[in-house]
Amino acid sequence: MSFNTFGHMFRFTTWGESHGPALGVVVDGCPPGIALSAEIIQRDLDRRKPGQSRFTTQRREEDLVHILSGTFADEADGLTKTTGTPISLMIENTDQRSKDYSEIKDKFRPGHADFTYQQKYGIRDFKGSGRASARETAARVAAGAVARLVIPQVRIRASLVQMGPHRIDHANFDWDEVDKNPFFCADPIAAQRWEPYLDGIRKDGNSVGAVIEVVAEGVPPGWGAPIYGKLSADLASAMMSINAVKGVEIGDGFAAASLTGTENADEMRAGNAGPYFKSNRAGGVLGGISNGDPIVVRFAVKPTSSILTPRETVTTHNENTEVMTKGRHDPCVGIRAVPIGEAMMALVLADHFLRHRGQTGRDGGVGF
Amino acid sequence: MSFNTFGHMFRFTTWGESHGPALGVVVDGCPPGIALSAEIIQRDLDRRKPGQSRFTTQRREEDLVHILSGTFADEADGLTKTTGTPISLMIENTDQRSKDYSEIKDKFRPGHADFTYQQKYGIRDFKGSGRASARETAARVAAGAVARLVIPQVRIRASLVQMGPHRIDHANFDWDEVDKNPFFCADPIAAQRWEPYLDGIRKDGNSVGAVIEVVAEGVPPGWGAPIYGKLSADLASAMMSINAVKGVEIGDGFAAASLTGTENADEMRAGNAGPYFKSNRAGGVLGGISNGDPIVVRFAVKPTSSILTPRETVTTHNENTEVMTKGRHDPCVGIRAVPIGEAMMALVLADHFLRHRGQTGRDGGVGF
Amino acid sequence: MSFNTFGHMFRFTTWGESHGPALGVVVDGCPPGIALSAEIIQRDLDRRKPGQSRFTTQRREEDLVHILSGTFADEADGLTKTTGTPISLMIENTDQRSKDYSEIKDKFRPGHADFTYQQKYGIRDFKGSGRASARETAARVAAGAVARLVIPQVRIRASLVQMGPHRIDHANFDWDEVDKNPFFCADPIAAQRWEPYLDGIRKDGNSVGAVIEVVAEGVPPGWGAPIYGKLSADLASAMMSINAVKGVEIGDGFAAASLTGTENADEMRAGNAGPYFKSNRAGGVLGGISNGDPIVVRFAVKPTSSILTPRETVTTHNENTEVMTKGRHDPCVGIRAVPIGEAMMALVLADHFLRHRGQTGRDGGVGF
Amino acid sequence: MSFNTFGHMFRFTTWGESHGPALGVVVDGCPPGIALSAEIIQRDLDRRKPGQSRFTTQRREEDLVHILSGTFADEADGLTKTTGTPISLMIENTDQRSKDYSEIKDKFRPGHADFTYQQKYGIRDFKGSGRASARETAARVAAGAVARLVIPQVRIRASLVQMGPHRIDHANFDWDEVDKNPFFCADPIAAQRWEPYLDGIRKDGNSVGAVIEVVAEGVPPGWGAPIYGKLSADLASAMMSINAVKGVEIGDGFAAASLTGTENADEMRAGNAGPYFKSNRAGGVLGGISNGDPIVVRFAVKPTSSILTPRETVTTHNENTEVMTKGRHDPCVGIRAVPIGEAMMALVLADHFLRHRGQTGRDGGVGF
């Protein structure tokens, strides 16, 4: 988890800037013998791809993934499978149209990492935000597609549950709706209302924040670890590492602070296959370890700072000025954060599955 | 960051159960030459110590810390200083009164880690929750006291900002008030109102959640790192690793989701010593790197599940039953989480300070 | 593997100086459910303990180990077992006789770490070499005793195979002899000859180097990993981390450099239970992964620099002087390195066992 | 240091098989502001490149490196410099001539990793040894070229000092000779004698082992760390991770085992700029920390098992057979290990430089 690497047993390292020749990820520690192809990864990448509706940036990145290493054709069944060695995935940057960077080269865009990268490193790749660009998330999504294959018994889905101040109504929640609207929103009524709202935001040259909920079903009891290896701690780190994320919560999250102990505790009952919980306020994690219930995580994305409205800022020589980010940006970056959140969930769970199996020799809990 | 270790360059490993002979922490990577004594550490430990008011558990743990290694008397000035080698800190458990564990030995307490530890490991230290006990946090606070000395230019303070549904009024916020009430609350009016409220909760044999805000002032621009080593990601992991924490946010956090880009961006102006930000919605972190403004983190603590009200649960043999946690518990564990949050902030920042210095050779940003 | 921690899944962190109150180790990632007691660990510690013959230092350290955390009595069988949480082991320093350190306080002993610690840290614990003392190895041996229990199918033994210029004759090699002479030497003839030789060295106030061979039998094919996680690379690091070690080799080691490809290759034949190797020049490791043959590692220990003969050196103020290390030192530190080498072998193998199981879900190879 | 990653602060991850589309390395943690170009890296790669004389494999790999990320043109001076973000280097495989693998597909070559990869993973990339191919070392050499730039004050050179049973005469040692013969040998007389010797080995369809010595001058006192982070331990791991390496030693290494304490200790004298050592038997490392003297490491390379002489082996179905490795192989892989050893030295030292600077805030020792 140092700088550009995440994970312990299933770990990945991303690299690349938005305006360089390519970006990519190296996945290390993947179990061998898993059927893997570029097509499988592409499916997830296509969900994150920009330009799929008028509500995401109109940059036209194909985001075609190439598998450069770590797989081999199994003679037994003809399938290309992971070999247990590092899987290198590369995505070429195709939409690097020659552009005038003079506006942002010498100015710090408020809300961006321009100022902090300059201060930290003394040198800054100002083209398309360099390493701080959200294009890095394509690499995570590619790695996440591999992670999903490591834990096929787990189903990971996500939905936009809040856009700006507008929350969904959980009474309308239907996973089947997620791919039927341009917002990855499980509430079709909310999605309908959001269209004109986000159109307005977009036309105003403005942007808006969002909240995403990610749910993993099928995680057995026992994944995670005490103290600093808590499943919840790694999920918090994973989600907070996504661009523009400012908050993470598990289960009831911040709402749990308002509750009393009698309200909050998920009571248990004896079931045929072992105990079950009558509610899931815990979000599937107790003491940092999965309890068998769905893992529920939400994260908040701030509105992108790249807006068409001029904002006060300073030049790299500390002179007052204004800046307006022209170009093709997302009015609500939270939309494309939906598949990214799914990927991070998969990556954390795959890692914890291998760590749990390593320490205990079991795939899940001891059972009943 | 594996299991019981946190941090990279400044890293610490905690060990110990609540009802074993002792608990402790090994701090590795501490810079040499820092004056350190048990007294300095004790000061922080005493703030976390139980039994300081009727609002925290009445267990009487002295929490006396012993320095077992890593320091040496400097002949030049007579001060005991860190030598750059591992600092081992131990706290003996003194209040292990012989107790009847039959109630919890064979039952899973709802909201506790009983069930998940049992499932993960197949064996469970049921005395005082074993490793899942909040006593582990004493070890963090001890390590955090060392971390503070590594970054003396940084001032870290925290306050309870919400108890149950009751938030403080930031208009009343005064850091000097924090140590004047039993809640570590910077709003004296709120603190006053909370007394009868928490008395009621306590008398009902109930408990309540809370939100803590931690602020670090004096962090220069440049600490943190891109992508998975983001300061915000490590802070999220650090806070989420504290017992009972279910949510973490930086700066405006979840509230940022409701804002538009024009509202959210912290505009910049030219100052005498370089640019400054007109607001701090970012909470001092941009692109994962500190921007020179105060680092602001909040985390939500759920109400403790150890309450005097019977709850439905099952036995370890999957039979329906009820459980009631007798004993001396905190009606609001969030109170004692205040010094713990400070410690985790110090531990993350000390680590990032060393990492930044290692990579760049500078203590902070390049400056203007 | 940072500073004072070793290992990935089965990892341990040691702490403590020779003249502080205690030293110890925290073992993290140990599988749960393993019967563990102080007695089991003590057996290994007693083999490393000083003062067992006139050929090791006459310091009288009891080296009594205390288990401070990580175990719990299993009600099912009454045995104390590991719980999967950190195991903290502590050994109190009992022989800290008040001593005159004026001689070494202001002088750098040649061959010691005095000069380098002073230069690195600017402060140096000069009592008994501080952290650079070989007493740290007691902590490893304690951790190694736990590691052995994780891989009970593996038998780890070691022998002194060279003392000064005198090598053993492998024709006389008999593991049963190891504990019958004061040198942990599997060649009884050599051991007999070494007695008067080492007596002479000792009476001259001199010291001598040694080579230790460590063999692990019962390791299945498949442990280890490609490239930087090679079993051989981790073994090299493990052995080189022992005080005074200056060389490590696997299998034929340096002798392999003199061979041709036809001589060196271990040919294979079909056996009933799968292929076997006709020879073991590889030392049980191919491409960094175990091949089912015994793992064979040798390491060279330099003669201790703490001798009763005056040597030229400088003061901490860069003035020429002489130094003579009085006190109770080992004429051949290689002797006590024998159980230490065994411990490091166990620690590396336990870690790789868990890592292999985590990635592949198997305890060993796929078999035939 | 997990699987395919090496290093802590300056860390790199390699990927790629010999017969896939490409191989590469991601360098993370590199300091910013260092002038870097493909040309600089290419210089080191060209030294490792096959086919430079009749004594190395006749495969014709161009080994052209591409920098895919992590650099940016500094407007101040027009130089392309590191930005502090991950540097992705890629080398395309150009010589993947269609080849008949039927011979090795179903047989385990003795001395190769064929058997162990098959057992560990259950699937094996049999084309050109897959991940176990020495082509992976091209990625290290590329990363090592970057590492050298991080520590420009350190001069790292290496020489073949033994080929088969034939050692160089240190009396003839002259660094300037290294690039004047096809063996990277600093002894021109030895190099001359080795030509006919290796011609004979080659014509016999045989191979031979070697020993390489790597020396780093200009390392200040203070790099390295106690115990498991010892400079010597990391160097041992680094060198042992190179294909075919079976032994590593520092300074006098195994020869130190034959010495007495009076012979072995490097005595010290007062110099104008501080103390100096009268000899360097320690190889520049005391207690795991550099002492200011040249760091001297030697490693032994076994003869390659890919020889034109048939050897006994088994099929993947455990049937007796013979195998003969046709194709273009190195009669002495030790030759091309010379620049690889230099690269690993640079990589270890760059990492320790950053770690030392991080912990202490100094580039080297405290000085006099």
Side-chain angles (χ1 to χ4, degrees), chain A residues 1-6 8 12 14 108 110-113 115-122 131 136 140 162 164-165 201 206-211 221-222 224-230 232-233 236-237 240-241 243 246-250 253-254 256-262 264-271 274-275 277-278 282 285-287 289-291 298 300-304 307 309 311-314 316 318 320-321 344 355-356 359-360 362 365-368, chain B residues 1-6 8 12 14 108 110-113 115-122 131 136 140 162 164-165 201 206-211 221-222 224-230 232-233 236-237 240-241 243 246-250 253-254 256-262 264-271 274-275 277-278 282 285-287 289-291 298 300-304 307 309 311-314 316 318 320-321 344 355-356 359-360 362 365-368:
Chain A
M1 292 207 192
S2 162
F3 294 175
N4 295 280
T5 297
F6 189 90
H8 296 264
F12 65 100
T14 69
F108 300 121
H112 273 83
F115 176 71
T116 53
Y117 271 62
Q118 179 67 38
Q119 280 295 306
K120 182 175 188 72
Y121 298 120
R131 184 67 179 151
E136 187 273 341
R140 310 173 184 228
Q162 182 181 332
I201 292 283
N206 211 339
S207 64
V208 74
V211 175
I227 318 301
Y228 309 110
K230 285 193 169 104
S232 39
S237 169
M240 199 67 100
S241 77
N243 303 47
K246 302 301 282 186
V248 185
E249 56 183 13
I250 315 280
F254 276 86
S258 300
L259 300 177
T260 62
T262 47
N264 181 254
D266 298 312
E267 291 182 301
M268 304 179 77
R269 291 286 80 186
F277 294 88
K278 291 169 66 180
V285 182
L286 283 172
I289 299 168
S290 63
N291 67 8
R298 271 179 307 281
V301 179
K302 70 174 183 181
T304 181
I307 48 178
T309 313
R311 310 305 296 159
E312 290 187 347
T313 193
V314 295
T316 53
N318 193 27
N320 284 333
T321 183
M344 294 311 293
R355 292 162 77 184
H356 176 71
Q359 188 183 14
T360 68
R362 284 188 299 272
V366 294
F368 276 85
Chain B
M1 292 211 193
S2 163
F3 293 176
N4 296 279
T5 297
F6 190 91
H8 295 264
F12 65 99
T14 69
F108 300 121
H112 274 84
F115 175 71
T116 53
Y117 271 62
Q118 179 68 37
Q119 279 297 306
K120 181 176 188 72
Y121 298 120
R131 183 67 180 151
E136 186 273 342
R140 309 174 185 228
Q162 183 181 333
I201 292 284
N206 211 338
S207 64
V208 75
V211 176
I227 319 301
Y228 310 110
K230 285 193 170 103
S232 38
S237 168
M240 200 67 100
S241 77
N243 304 47
K246 302 301 280 186
V248 185
E249 55 183 14
I250 313 280
F254 276 88
S258 301
L259 299 178
T260 61
T262 46
N264 181 254
D266 298 312
E267 292 181 300
M268 302 179 76
R269 294 284 81 187
F277 295 89
K278 289 169 68 180
V285 181
L286 284 172
I289 299 168
S290 63
N291 67 7
R298 270 179 306 282
V301 179
K302 70 175 181 179
T304 181
I307 49 178
T309 314
R311 310 305 296 160
E312 290 187 347
T313 193
V314 295
T316 54
N318 192 28
N320 283 332
T321 183
M344 294 312 292
R355 291 163 77 184
H356 175 71
Q359 188 184 13
T360 68
R362 284 189 297 272
V366 294
F368 277 86

Side-chain angles (χ1 to χ4, degrees), chain C residues 120 224 270 278 312 320 362, chain D residues 120 224 270 278 312 320 362:
Chain C
K120 183 176 187 73
K278 291 170 67 181
E312 290 186 347
N320 284 332
R362 285 188 298 271
Chain D
K120 182 176 186 73
K278 290 170 68 182
E312 291 186 345
N320 284 332
R362 283 188 298 272

Side-chain angles (χ1 to χ4, degrees), chain A residues 9-71:
Chain A
M9 287 229 49
F10 186 95
R11 58 195 290 152
F12 65 100
T13 303
T14 69
W15 56 269
E17 285 82 38
S18 68
H19 286 61
L23 58 88
V25 60
V26 183
V27 175
D28 201 3
C30 184
I34 297 175
L36 179 69
S37 65
E39 290 68 39
I40 295 173
I41 301 171
Q42 197 64 49
R43 256 178 262 154
D44 281 14
L45 274 175
D46 286 348
R47 296 183 78 224
R48 193 213 73 104
K49 202 170 65 175
Q52 305 194 89
S53 79
R54 67 183 185 278
F55 300 114
T56 56
T57 170
Q58 295 307 303
R59 275 194 307 273
R60 304 235 57 107
E61 290 288 358
E62 282 307 312
D63 280 359
L64 282 181
V65 68
H66 301 276
I67 301 180
L68 299 182
S69 70
T71 61

Side-chain angles (χ1 to χ4, degrees), chain A residues 55 160-168 181-185 190-191 193-199 201 207-212 301 331-335, chain B residues 256-259:
Chain A
F55 300 114
L160 207 68
V161 294
Q162 182 181 332
M163 178 184 288
H166 308 295
R167 302 193 182 191
I168 66 162
N181 59 68
F183 308 117
F184 297 118
C185 178
R193 287 188 192 134
W194 291 350
E195 288 217 21
Y197 169 72
L198 195 56
D199 268 330
I201 292 283
S207 64
V208 74
V211 175
I212 292 93
V301 179
C332 178
V333 283
I335 299 171
Chain B
S258 301
L259 299 178

Side-chain angles (χ1 to χ4, degrees), chain C residues 3-342:
Chain C
F3 294 176
N4 295 280
T5 296
F6 189 90
H8 296 265
M9 284 230 51
F10 186 94
R11 59 196 290 153
F12 64 100
T13 303
T14 70
W15 56 268
E17 286 84 35
S18 69
H19 286 61
L23 58 88
V25 60
V26 183
V27 176
D28 200 4
C30 185
I34 297 175
L36 178 69
S37 66
E39 291 68 40
I40 293 173
I41 301 172
Q42 196 64 49
R43 259 179 259 155
D44 281 14
L45 273 175
D46 285 349
R47 296 184 76 224
R48 193 213 73 103
K49 202 170 66 174
Q52 305 195 89
S53 80
R54 68 183 184 280
F55 300 114
T56 56
T57 171
Q58 295 307 302
R59 275 194 308 273
R60 303 236 57 105
E61 289 289 357
E62 283 306 313
D63 280 359
L64 282 180
V65 68
H66 301 276
I67 301 179
L68 299 181
S69 69
T71 61
F72 198 72
D74 187 337
E75 301 226 312
D77 55 16
L79 290 173
T80 299
K81 295 184 179 170
T82 59
T83 59
T85 61
I87 302 165
S88 176
L89 306 174
M90 186 173 70
I91 298 163
E92 283 165 283
N93 288 323
T94 53
D95 186 20
Q96 311 166 56
R97 59 173 78 173
S98 78
K99 195 180 154 186
D100 181 10
Y101 288 106
S102 55
E103 176 79 356
I104 57 171
K105 184 166 69 75
D106 300 321
K107 294 177 181 179
F108 300 121
R109 290 166 298 165
H112 273 83
D114 297 344
F115 176 71
T116 52
Y117 271 62
Q118 179 67 39
Q119 280 296 306
K120 183 176 187 73
Y121 298 120
I123 181 172
R124 174 170 64 95
D125 178 348
F126 50 75
K127 295 188 183 173
S129 300
R131 184 68 181 149
S133 163
R135 261 193 82 60
E136 186 273 342
T137 57
R140 307 174 185 229
V141 170
V146 181
R148 282 183 201 262
L149 302 175
V150 175
I151 45 170
Q153 72 276 34
V154 178
R155 185 171 197 181
I156 297 168
R157 293 180 290 195
S159 168
L160 208 67
V161 296
Q162 183 181 332
M163 179 184 286
H166 308 295
R167 300 192 183 192
I168 66 161
D169 182 347
H170 265 275
N172 304 328
F173 202 98
D174 179 357
W175 282 121
D176 290 340
E177 293 292 332
V178 164
D179 286 325
K180 295 182 181 160
N181 59 68
F183 308 117
F184 297 117
C185 179
D187 173 353
I189 319 281
Q192 215 166 10
R193 287 188 191 135
W194 291 351
E195 287 217 20
Y197 169 72
L198 195 56
D199 268 331
I201 291 283
R202 185 168 56 87
K203 284 168 187 161
D204 287 354
N206 211 337
S207 64
V208 73
V211 177
I212 292 93
E213 181 169 305
V214 191
V215 179
E217 291 168 294
V219 177
W223 294 5
I227 319 298
Y228 309 109
K230 284 193 169 102
L231 198 51
S232 38
D234 282 354
L235 284 167
S237 168
M239 300 307 169
M240 199 67 99
S241 77
I242 301 171
N243 304 47
V245 172
K246 302 301 281 187
V248 185
E249 57 184 14
I250 313 280
D252 274 12
F254 277 88
S258 301
L259 300 177
T260 62
T262 47
E263 295 164 335
N264 181 254
D266 298 313
E267 293 182 300
M268 301 179 78
R269 293 285 79 186
N272 292 333
Y276 66 91
F277 295 88
K278 291 170 67 181
S279 54
N280 187 19
R281 290 185 179 279
V285 182
L286 284 172
I289 299 168
S290 63
N291 66 8
D293 267 359
I295 312 286
V296 182
V297 176
R298 271 178 306 282
F299 60 93
V301 179
K302 70 174 183 181
T304 180
S305 319
S306 300
I307 48 179
L308 290 164
T309 313
R311 310 305 294 160
E312 290 186 347
T313 195
V314 296
T315 67
T316 52
H317 299 93
N318 192 27
E319 299 150 336
N320 284 332
T321 184
E322 288 198 335
V323 71
M324 190 180 83
T325 316
K326 278 163 274 179
R328 304 151 295 163
H329 290 284
D330 290 283
C332 177
V333 282
I335 299 170
R336 288 167 59 210
V338 172
I340 301 166
E342 291 181 8

Side-chain angles (χ1 to χ4, degrees), chain A residues 41-213:
Chain A
I41 301 171
Q42 197 64 49
R43 256 178 262 154
D44 281 14
L45 274 175
D46 286 348
R47 296 183 78 224
R48 193 213 73 104
K49 202 170 65 175
Q52 305 194 89
S53 79
R54 67 183 185 278
F55 300 114
T56 56
T57 170
Q58 295 307 303
R59 275 194 307 273
R60 304 235 57 107
E61 290 288 358
E62 282 307 312
D63 280 359
L64 282 181
V65 68
H66 301 276
I67 301 180
L68 299 182
S69 70
T71 61
F72 199 71
D74 189 337
E75 301 225 314
D77 54 16
L79 290 174
T80 299
K81 295 183 180 170
T82 59
T83 60
T85 61
I87 302 164
S88 176
L89 306 174
M90 185 172 72
I91 298 164
E92 284 165 283
N93 288 324
T94 52
D95 185 21
Q96 310 165 58
R97 59 175 77 172
S98 77
K99 192 178 155 186
D100 180 10
Y101 288 105
S102 54
E103 174 79 356
I104 58 171
K105 184 165 70 73
D106 300 321
K107 295 177 181 178
F108 300 121
R109 290 167 297 167
H112 273 83
D114 298 344
F115 176 71
T116 53
Y117 271 62
Q118 179 67 38
Q119 280 295 306
K120 182 175 188 72
Y121 298 120
I123 182 172
R124 173 170 65 95
D125 179 347
F126 51 75
K127 295 188 183 172
S129 300
R131 184 67 179 151
S133 162
R135 260 194 83 60
E136 187 273 341
T137 57
R140 310 173 184 228
V141 170
V146 181
R148 282 182 201 261
L149 302 175
V150 174
I151 45 171
Q153 71 278 32
V154 178
R155 183 170 199 182
I156 297 168
R157 293 181 289 194
S159 167
L160 207 68
V161 294
Q162 182 181 332
M163 178 184 288
H166 308 295
R167 302 193 182 191
I168 66 162
D169 181 347
H170 265 275
N172 304 329
F173 201 98
D174 179 356
W175 281 120
D176 290 338
E177 293 292 332
V178 164
D179 287 324
K180 295 183 182 160
N181 59 68
F183 308 117
F184 297 118
C185 178
D187 173 354
I189 319 280
Q192 216 166 9
R193 287 188 192 134
W194 291 350
E195 288 217 21
Y197 169 72
L198 195 56
D199 268 330
I201 292 283
R202 187 169 55 87
K203 284 168 187 162
D204 287 353
N206 211 339
S207 64
V208 74
V211 175
I212 292 93
E213 181 169 304

